[in-house]
């Protein structure tokens, strides 16, 4: 009988990501979500598993600068992507809080804290979208396309953050925290 070579592992792939500025290589099952890879393989537990259906926003992270629900993304599809989690938004390697983190603390924009990492990442992504002039559903349709940053009124902030749920009802203070950062 001839020795046989084992078949290639067709259920796992190596993925290269840049996570919070650091290059990381992982071997993941093809069914592994980005959320599970971050939490289980990398020990980054800031992004939370809430609904596991992309409806609550607790798992929000930034992928290539855009906000995304990590529970809906397959890690294997993100090879080469830049991922930022709440653990990576502080300045100077975590020594200095990001202005959004400081504003959330100053405005008491959280209660239990479960949704806070997703809220922070979503707010950071939303600020980038507004800076690029992207309109939202709350943008007046008669407003000409933005030639610069989109104006962020409280209604705009609420609409742009509407994909992130807070069971404790900290929404008014979240809006105020975002307003503090843009002023």
């Amino acid at each position: 009988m001839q020795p046989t070579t084992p078949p290639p592992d067709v259920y796992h792939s190596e993925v290269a990501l840049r996570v919070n500025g650091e290059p990381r290589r992982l071997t993941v099952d093809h069914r592994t979500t980005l959320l599970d890879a971050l939490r289980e393989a990398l020990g980054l537990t800031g992004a939370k598993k809430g609904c596991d259906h992309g409806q609550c926003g607790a798992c929000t992270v930034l992928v290539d600068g855009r906000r995304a629900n990590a529970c809906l993304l397959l890690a294997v599809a993100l090879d080469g992507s830049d991922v930022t989690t709440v653990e990576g938004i502080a300045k100077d390697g975590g020594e200095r809080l990001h202005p959004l983190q400081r504003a959330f603390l100053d405005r008491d924009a959280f209660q239990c804290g479960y949704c806070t990492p997703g809220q922070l990442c979503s707010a950071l992504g939303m600020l980038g979208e507004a800076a690029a002039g992207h309109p939202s559903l709350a943008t007046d349709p008669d407003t000409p396309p933005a030639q610069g940053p989109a104006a962020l009124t409280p209604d705009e902030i609420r609409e742009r953050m509407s994909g992130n749920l807070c069971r404790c009802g900290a929404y008014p203070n979240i809006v105020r925290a975002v307003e503090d950062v843009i002023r």
Side-chain angles (χ1 to χ4, degrees), residues 17-153:
L17 301 171
R18 178 170 291 278
V19 180
N20 297 329
E22 294 186 26
R24 304 300 293 263
R25 293 190 86 69
L26 304 167
T27 299
V28 296
D29 181 295
H30 294 162
R31 299 166 294 177
T32 302
T33 64
L34 175 60
L35 179 61
D36 289 337
L38 291 170
R39 293 181 60 82
E40 296 170 15
L42 299 177
L44 298 171
T45 58
K48 302 292 189 261
K49 188 174 279 204
C51 66
D52 220 15
H53 288 63
Q55 297 174 345
C56 72
C59 66
T60 303
V61 297
L62 301 175
V63 176
D64 296 329
R66 303 283 312 254
R67 53 190 169 160
N69 291 327
C71 72
L72 296 180
L73 300 174
L74 294 176
V76 72
L78 298 173
D79 190 38
S81 293
D82 187 4
V83 178
T84 304
T85 69
V86 71
E87 291 93 343
I89 65 173
K91 306 289 184 189
D92 301 327
E95 295 298 317
R96 217 169 25 103
L97 293 178
H98 185 280
L100 272 170
Q101 291 171 307
R102 171 57 43 210
F104 268 60
L105 286 170
D106 292 346
R107 286 293 187 167
D108 197 24
F110 56 91
Q111 288 180 29
C112 78
Y114 193 83
C115 72
T116 305
Q119 297 279 1
L120 285 164
C121 286
S122 186
L124 190 58
M126 180 263 305
L127 290 173
E129 292 163 13
H134 297 295
S136 79
L137 190 61
T139 306
D140 181 355
D142 294 330
T143 303
Q147 300 302 316
L152 288 175
T153 64

Side-chain angles (χ1 to χ4, degrees), residues 99-100 103-105 107 109 172-182:
L100 272 170
F104 268 60
L105 286 170
R107 286 293 187 167
N173 291 347
I174 291 169
V175 171
R176 288 184 196 107
V178 173
E179 286 179 307
D180 288 351
V181 171
I182 61 175

